[in-house]
Amino acid sequence: MVLSIINHPFKYETENVLRIFFPLEKITVTEEYPASDENSAVTVRAFSDGGCIMSCEVKIGAKTVKKEKYVNGAADGDAELALAQSLYDCLVSLTGTVPSWGVLTGVRPSKLMRSLISSGGGDYAKRYFTDKLYVNKEKTELAFAVSKAEDKIISLSRNNSYSLYVSIPFCPTRCSYCSFVSHSVAHAKKLIPDYVRLLCEELREFSEIANNLGLHLETIYFGGGTPTSLGEEDLKTVTDAVKKYFDVSSAREYTIEAGRPDTLNPEKLKIMKSAGVTRISINPQTFNNDVLKNIGRNHTAEMIYKAFGEARNEGFDNINMDFIAGLPGDTFGSFCESIEKAVALSPENITVHTLALKRAANIVTGKRTHEVKNETAEMLSYSSDALYKNGYFPYYMYRQSKSVGNNENVGWCRNEKECLYNIYMMEEIHTVFAAGGGAVTKLKSPFENKIERIFNFKYPYEYIERFDILKDRKKRIYEFYKEIGMI
Ligand code: SF4
């Protein structure tokens, strides 16, 4: 597919709209008109009478559709939206597909919803979603509900708040759909002692910076990877370092992702409990053993029950379970059964993800993409109804590019057990200091929408070999806080 950009700067938006309809196709962007036999989308801005005409002509095979919109004035925001709408209209008309999120391509719909509510109120925000962005009613209500749930949590964050992220990029085996930098424990065994030692050193550096800046720790989150794929001793070393360098007791929440049940045992649960961990994740993804095998996870549904029971016995009263809609080999019926089984276990959080298509492309077999899309959309609708019915409400959400059917990932909770970190991180509310391989520290000004990122090295071996460079990069944290007037 060729995307022609004629006389406008909206390459990013038009390409993203095109990707909603053709997520896996190669898109060649050019400032020329395409050859007449190519599948193409020609997007043009033509100035006229103090405004401009934003037009699109899309050709797929023998069919061509053209749409245009006139924009009064020359504001880039209006012109960009009009062009996205015209392109979207052409693509709906040619493909017959009506995406549930309309032209909305951003990863944080609830953040946009909140900003629209604050500028024009709830009705205005919802109308903007449905009338301008063409988001359907169900997704508009979802984004609205999430933005309202987030308000309460966001209001807890103060000017000097920050969260701490600890990256453990190791897993027992690699899931077939994984898009993270995660190494199997067996493969990375040699690296783990040095990794753990330097991670503890980085935690010390962050605690020193936080103290010097007078920052207050709100939440701690261990992610990865699967943090509990560390052995007992290493897990204890890292959690001891957190306890030594940070005031864990004053943090509102301390989460460790114990994602894979095959990495859990009563001893690790005890280590986490005595370290002050308040929330863990035990992620089935599905309760169907055949699907678990398909996706390369080395555990069974029975092991999930066992790990869950042991965690409850150890006193964990805030447990999350992740599921994925659209897994290879899963069916609507088996997905629904998984959600029902999860609800019966009654975890405080259930997170429902949509499979990312970049991986699905390699592993979805036997079904055409549109069938997978429709089935995944039905799975999400089912989980939404079932979870509402059972007292869960949506409290956080995000979208990934190239997820099946361009759908969303939603965190559900009950008994006021929202995961605070998820909201602070996804909505970019305050600074997150992130330690470990692949971690990204995000500096956020409490006074304006100023955000800056500091990247750690992606792979554990690089993190180990080039650790000293990271120390140097942290100097930027002081400069940032100086620039925003906090020192
Ligand atoms: S558990 Fe998560 S991080 Fe680990 S391999 Fe599977 S998808 Fe990747």
Side-chain angles (χ1 to χ4, degrees):
M1 170 69 84
V2 175
L3 170 63
S4 294
I5 307 281
I6 311 291
N7 198 31
H8 67 79
F10 311 124
K11 170 183 173 293
Y12 180 78
E13 186 61 14
T14 45
E15 193 174 348
N16 279 343
V17 171
L18 207 50
R19 281 207 187 288
I20 297 173
F21 293 84
F22 303 105
L24 300 173
E25 214 154 290
K26 183 171 184 286
I27 296 175
T28 306
V29 183
T30 168
E31 292 186 8
E32 311 286 321
Y33 281 90
S36 58
D37 58 342
E38 285 178 309
N39 284 344
S40 58
V42 180
T43 60
V44 183
R45 173 170 65 178
F47 291 102
S48 146
D49 292 339
C52 53
I53 297 165
M54 308 304 294
S55 68
C56 292
E57 185 169 315
V58 182
K59 175 186 171 309
I60 299 171
K63 289 191 196 160
T64 300
V65 172
K66 184 172 179 182
K67 305 267 181 192
E68 62 181 36
K69 284 184 190 286
Y70 177 75
V71 180
N72 209 354
D76 267 5
D78 295 342
E80 183 179 35
L81 180 60
L83 193 60
Q85 290 168 333
S86 300
L87 179 57
Y88 177 90
D89 287 343
C90 290
L91 292 164
V92 168
S93 152
L94 277 169
T95 63
T97 298
V98 183
S100 45
W101 285 99
V103 294
L104 187 57
T105 55
V107 297
R108 297 182 176 84
S110 49
K111 187 173 186 187
L112 175 62
M113 178 63 88
R114 233 192 9 271
S115 107
L116 290 168
I117 292 171
S118 85
S119 64
D123 288 345
Y124 161 77
K126 286 188 193 178
R127 268 201 316 277
Y128 193 93
F129 261 53
T130 53
D131 300 353
K132 302 262 189 208
L133 302 176
Y134 303 157
V135 179
N136 76 18
K137 204 160 172 345
E138 187 190 343
K139 302 299 182 194
T140 298
E141 290 300 334
L142 175 64
F144 185 78
V146 169
S147 73
K148 288 282 133 196
E150 288 172 341
D151 282 349
K152 183 183 71 179
I153 308 298
I154 291 170
S155 69
L156 299 173
S157 179
R158 290 164 280 175
N159 283 356
N160 67 342
S161 291
Y162 79 104
S163 287
L164 176 69
Y165 179 82
V166 182
S167 166
I168 312 285
F170 308 110
C171 285
T173 56
R174 196 169 164 86
C175 306
S176 56
Y177 55 82
C178 182
S179 56
F180 298 106
V181 174
S182 181
H183 289 50
S184 81
V185 177
H187 182 71
K189 218 172 190 144
K190 285 200 309 280
L191 300 176
I192 290 179
D194 281 340
Y195 186 86
V196 166
R197 179 176 54 79
L198 292 170
L199 180 62
C200 294
E201 170 59 14
E202 194 177 14
L203 289 168
R204 192 198 59 73
E205 288 170 8
F206 274 130
S207 80
E208 193 180 296
I209 293 169
N211 286 340
N212 289 342
L213 293 172
L215 300 182
H216 175 78
L217 180 62
E218 295 291 343
T219 71
I220 304 165
Y221 194 100
F222 277 48
T226 306
T228 44
S229 58
L230 290 180
E232 290 77 4
E233 209 178 302
D234 290 327
L235 184 63
K236 185 162 176 352
T237 303
V238 182
T239 50
D240 280 353
V242 170
K243 210 172 189 173
K244 179 173 170 192
Y245 300 129
F246 299 88
D247 184 5
V248 171
S249 63
S250 76
R252 294 179 195 273
E253 177 185 272
Y254 186 170
T255 298
I256 293 190
E257 281 186 13
R260 306 269 286 257
D262 44 335
T263 64
L264 269 183
N265 60 34
E267 202 183 334
K268 288 188 197 175
L269 286 162
K270 274 198 177 62
I271 291 168
M272 292 191 283
K273 196 70 191 166
S274 65
V277 173
T278 57
R279 179 179 180 273
I280 60 170
S281 270
I282 300 173
N283 299 331
Q285 311 304 6
T286 169
F287 275 104
N288 182 324
N289 281 336
D290 292 334
V291 179
L292 283 170
K293 212 186 232 169
N294 280 351
I295 59 176
R297 283 169 79 99
N298 251 0
H299 64 82
T300 59
E302 293 66 40
M303 290 160 84
I304 298 161
Y305 284 110
K306 184 169 174 279
F308 190 88
E310 288 171 353
R312 285 292 198 226
N313 283 345
E314 198 50 54
F316 283 99
D317 61 359
N318 193 354
I319 301 180
N320 171 63
M321 290 191 141
D322 274 6
F323 290 87
I324 300 179
L327 286 173
D330 209 5
T331 60
F332 178 70
S334 132
F335 175 84
C336 299
E337 214 174 288
S338 290
I339 296 294
E340 278 158 24
K341 286 180 175 167
V343 168
L345 276 176
S346 207
E348 286 63 33
N349 292 188
I350 293 180
T351 310
V352 182
H353 296 264
T354 306
L355 185 67
L357 255 180
K358 49 190 162 215
R359 295 286 158 189
N362 304 328
I363 58 179
V364 172
T365 51
K367 279 185 190 169
R368 292 169 49 183
T369 311
H370 78 267
E371 287 168 18
V372 176
K373 272 189 203 170
N374 292 342
E375 202 170 52
T376 304
E378 282 168 18
M379 289 172 177
L380 294 178
S381 277
Y382 172 85
S383 64
S384 170
D385 289 349
L387 292 170
Y388 266 126
K389 224 177 276 166
N390 283 284
Y392 291 86
F393 67 88
Y395 75 93
Y396 123 99
M397 72 183 304
Y398 66 99
R399 295 169 69 221
Q400 283 162 292
S401 64
K402 296 189 190 171
S403 65
V404 174
N406 194 35
N407 274 309
E408 68 281 353
N409 304 315
V410 182
W412 297 80
C413 81
R414 64 178 174 199
N415 304 333
E416 303 203 322
K417 291 278 173 67
E418 301 90 347
C419 173
L420 278 58
Y421 172 82
N422 281 343
I423 295 176
Y424 293 144
M425 178 270 303
M426 192 47 63
E427 301 297 311
E428 302 177 312
I429 302 304
H430 58 227
T431 285
V432 177
F433 288 152
V440 181
T441 288
K442 210 186 259 187
L443 306 173
K444 167 75 174 57
S445 164
F447 312 116
E448 58 188 316
N449 199 22
K450 179 178 162 113
I451 292 174
E452 210 172 297
R453 291 172 176 78
I454 301 175
F455 292 86
N456 278 8
F457 294 108
K458 209 169 172 184
Y459 298 101
Y461 77 89
E462 269 183 299
Y463 175 77
I464 293 166
E465 280 172 14
R466 305 174 75 189
F467 187 78
D468 285 346
I469 296 175
L470 300 182
K471 202 182 194 99
D472 226 45
R473 287 185 188 169
K474 289 187 179 58
K475 289 182 188 148
R476 180 65 201 138
I477 300 174
Y478 289 107
E479 290 164 11
F480 180 90
Y481 275 90
K482 197 166 182 191
E483 280 163 20
I484 63 171
M486 283 183 70
I487 45 175

